[in-house]
């Protein structure tokens, strides 16, 4: 899970022109100034890395980055079985 988060953090840092240390599991998208397009682009980058499609439904339901990372990681674990 930590390794997955590090990949997400690196992608977001590049997309948002932020230092990786500013991005934590507790970060809200508002704090990061990330909009839905930024989040979809991050998910698309993850899809390229893992060669699969993540569900992009209900992205607005996640209150912080950690919640989204956990959901994406759980999905990844399910499809890799």
């Amino acid at each position: 899970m930590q390794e997955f988060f590090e990949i997400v953090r690196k992608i977001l840092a590049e997309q948002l022109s932020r230092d990786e240390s500013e991005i934590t599991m507790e970060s809200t998208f508002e704090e990061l100034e990330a909009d839905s397009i930024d989040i979809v682009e991050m998910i698309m980058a993850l899809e390229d890395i893992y060669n699969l499609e993540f569900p992009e439904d209900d992205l607005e339901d996640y209150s912080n980055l950690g919640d989204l990372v956990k959901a994406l990681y759980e999905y990844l674990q399910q499809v890799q079985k």
Side-chain angles (χ1 to χ4, degrees), residues 23-68:
I23 301 171
T24 68
M25 291 284 276
E26 293 78 28
S27 297
T28 66
F29 300 113
E30 188 174 283
E31 289 170 343
L32 296 174
E33 298 177 5
D35 61 20
S36 59
I37 293 171
D38 295 318
I39 303 308
V40 169
E41 287 176 349
M42 177 205 65
I43 292 172
M44 289 170 54
L46 289 169
E47 289 173 342
D48 288 344
I49 292 168
Y50 291 100
N51 196 30
L52 60 90
E53 285 191 37
F54 286 101
E56 294 176 17
D57 303 338
D58 307 322
L59 291 178
E60 64 278 353
D61 290 348
Y62 300 102
S63 60
N64 61 36
L65 181 59
D67 291 343
L68 177 58

